[in-house]
Amino acid sequence: MDKQNSKFRWVIFASVLFTYLIMSSQRTAPGLITDQLMTDFSVTASTIGLVTSIQFLVYTGLQIPMGILADRYGPNFFLITGTALTGAGTIIYSLGTHEAVLFFARILTGIGDATIWVNMILILSLWFNEKEFTRLIGFAGMTGSLGFLLATVPFSVFIVILGWRGAFLSAGLLLCLCSVFLYFVLIKKSNQSAVVKPSTVPHERVPVMLNLRKMLSNRQAWGLFLCHFGLVGGYIGFIGSWAVPYGMEIYGMTRIEASRLIMISLVGALIGAPLIGWISSCLNTIKRPYMVFHFAVLLLWSAFLLFQAHPPFYLLVILFFLIGFGFGSNSLTFAAIRHSFPVKESGMVSGFANTGGFLSAVLLPGIFGYILDHFQSTAGNIAQGYYFGFFTPVIFSLFGLIGVMSIKEKRTEVTHKKTTEKVTEE
């Protein structure tokens, strides 16, 4: 089958993106039932916080190993297995009777979740050419934001109707069905093996540690690591952890009113991801638009410092929307990997870059919270705490800008066009 010219590639595209939609919704869905879990299991907020964070720690720690395994054995097996593991973990979570069961369930979910992005990127890179990939990777990023959006009001309604156990059980069963469907689409229908046997790999095997050392000494890989570090941490770390308390404590909003700030930011990300991918594809360049959006995000976070952490409300709404829009450009990290590295290395580099993004998402909430606690305990001034806390996303964004400035871009199509014109003139 000629993958990149086959109409079947759109079935692949829709299948993996729908799976990603459901899996990404289950990353944050447990946050909707924190109070119910504390009541049902008689545990503290810190225990629930640990249960929630363990999934992200597992996810972050497995990105590079998953990339290495995907490069060596192919993405199909791991995507199918990871979807099944996430479904099983979600089902166990819904049936849990002790906090230890919840803890185990989230570890299992984290292992499964760690497979989705890297393997999805590899599958799309095999079925679509570079220009299509650059355009469509934005839709993949948009799907992740849709998943986060699904885990707000829609899933809350589902919880009200079915109870939290019924809602999570249904989500787990749906993911298990997705894994079966992916097996049919990726293996049976496309006539491929779930695992690429070593004897059929077209390139010579290179020791894993040698490949890893090669990547860690590659300036391009580190630049892309910093790109993702700079964008993802500020958005997920702050928007997901401190946006609601910030709105309540600085602007006197209710919890529902403050939650709308997150919705505004998510709308920005939903619009930005596909639009930025399309712009990059039309301009036939990744670095220039990526640099523009990195610089814009740095300025947007700096605006909070300019206004002493209290910009006018109308400006606050605009800032949240534009920060979400700029976050949508993070998918260009993986478009740059697709252009810069051979297919046999792209899984490992994708895992490395994704580690940078989620490392910053793990670090920022803790750093921000430490700064708030310090100023609350010493000066009793929470507004001042938020002001100094905003230095964190500003510094993270600066790392991202340094990263995007350091990457090199191969302009193959443009170079080929110029060469053709020159030959024609001669």
Side-chain angles (χ1 to χ4, degrees):
M1 181 186 292
D2 183 4
K3 294 179 181 178
Q4 297 186 355
N5 292 311
S6 169
K7 292 182 179 179
F8 188 69
R9 72 191 193 278
W10 296 109
V11 176
I12 299 289
F13 180 74
S15 301
V16 297
L17 257 65
F18 179 77
T19 302
Y20 181 46
L21 172 71
I22 304 302
M23 289 179 74
S24 60
S25 74
Q26 293 308 298
R27 290 176 184 171
T28 54
L32 298 172
I33 56 169
T34 298
D35 54 338
Q36 291 176 270
L37 292 177
M38 291 172 63
T39 301
D40 291 354
F41 292 88
S42 301
V43 293
T44 63
S46 60
T47 300
I48 296 299
L50 181 61
V51 170
T52 302
S53 63
I54 191 64
Q55 178 181 352
F56 291 100
L57 291 174
V58 171
Y59 179 97
T60 304
L62 287 179
Q63 286 306 289
I64 295 176
M66 181 50 57
I68 294 171
L69 289 170
D71 284 338
R72 183 165 289 264
Y73 299 110
N76 294 339
F77 171 78
F78 295 105
L79 183 60
I80 294 166
T81 304
T83 304
L85 285 175
T86 305
T90 306
I91 291 172
I92 293 171
Y93 191 81
S94 71
L95 301 175
T97 55
H98 190 273
E99 59 266 28
V101 178
L102 300 182
F103 193 78
F104 170 75
R106 296 316 287 179
I107 290 176
L108 199 61
T109 303
I111 295 171
D113 193 22
T115 68
I116 180 65
W117 182 258
V118 171
N119 290 289
M120 181 176 70
I121 292 298
L122 287 180
I123 289 170
L124 295 182
S125 69
L126 292 172
W127 285 87
F128 295 91
N129 61 46
E130 287 188 4
K131 193 171 183 66
E132 286 180 323
F133 182 86
T134 301
R135 188 182 302 120
L136 295 176
I137 193 66
F139 286 94
M142 181 187 74
T143 302
S145 297
L146 272 175
F148 293 138
L149 192 61
L150 184 64
T152 56
V153 176
F155 202 73
S156 296
V157 173
F158 209 36
I159 290 172
V160 171
I161 296 172
L162 298 178
W164 74 266
R165 291 185 183 275
F168 280 89
L169 177 63
S170 300
L173 291 173
L174 179 58
L175 283 168
C176 289
L177 289 175
C178 284
S179 70
V180 174
F181 184 70
L182 285 175
Y183 175 77
F184 176 77
V185 170
L186 294 174
I187 308 301
K188 291 293 186 182
K189 193 68 176 176
S190 58
N191 299 318
Q192 296 183 54
S193 298
V195 179
V196 179
K197 299 293 189 296
S199 59
T200 64
V201 178
H203 57 272
E204 182 182 353
R205 289 289 186 194
V206 179
V208 170
M209 292 308 298
L210 184 62
N211 264 338
L212 191 57
R213 284 197 298 269
K214 179 183 175 183
M215 182 191 69
L216 293 176
S217 62
N218 188 300
R219 172 181 169 181
Q220 188 86 342
W222 278 105
L224 294 166
F225 176 95
L226 290 175
C227 284
H228 221 52
F229 182 95
L231 277 182
V232 174
Y235 179 80
I236 295 181
F238 178 78
I239 300 296
S241 299
W242 293 108
V244 170
Y246 169 71
M248 295 172 66
E249 293 171 345
I250 302 299
Y251 289 86
M253 298 179 182
T254 64
R255 186 175 300 276
I256 294 176
E257 289 171 340
S259 297
R260 289 173 186 161
L261 293 175
I262 298 178
M263 298 287 287
I264 290 168
S265 188
L266 281 171
V267 170
L270 288 172
I271 298 172
L275 183 59
I276 293 169
W278 178 80
I279 290 171
S280 177
S281 177
C282 289
L283 294 176
N284 193 38
T285 175
I286 295 171
K287 181 173 180 177
R288 283 186 292 175
Y290 207 11
M291 189 181 298
V292 168
F293 285 106
H294 268 279
F295 185 67
V297 169
L298 174 61
L299 292 180
L300 291 167
W301 284 118
S302 300
F304 285 95
L305 301 180
L306 181 64
F307 287 95
Q308 300 292 309
H310 197 291
F313 183 73
Y314 76 90
L315 182 58
L316 179 72
V317 172
I318 294 173
L319 288 172
F320 269 76
F321 175 82
L322 292 178
I323 286 171
F325 189 93
F327 168 75
S329 67
N330 79 85
S331 58
L332 292 182
T333 296
F334 303 96
I337 292 171
R338 174 73 166 81
H339 284 253
S340 304
F341 294 88
V343 174
K344 64 182 180 180
E345 299 175 8
S346 59
M348 180 171 60
V349 180
S350 296
F352 180 61
N354 211 27
T355 298
F358 280 87
L359 176 64
S360 64
V362 170
L363 290 175
L364 187 138
I367 296 172
F368 207 104
Y370 175 80
I371 294 171
L372 287 178
D373 287 343
H374 173 75
F375 281 92
Q376 180 76 356
S377 60
T378 58
N381 190 340
I382 193 66
Q384 193 176 19
Y386 275 105
Y387 170 74
F388 283 99
F390 277 115
F391 275 97
T392 311
V394 169
I395 293 171
F396 280 26
S397 299
L398 186 59
F399 277 119
L401 184 60
I402 293 170
V404 75
M405 291 174 66
S406 69
I407 65 175
K408 294 181 179 179
E409 183 173 33
K410 295 179 181 178
R411 302 292 301 282
T412 51
E413 293 182 25
V414 173
T415 303
H416 176 72
K417 184 178 178 182
K418 289 180 178 178
T419 304
T420 306
E421 290 174 353
K422 184 176 180 181
V423 171
T424 304
E425 289 174 2
E426 293 176 351

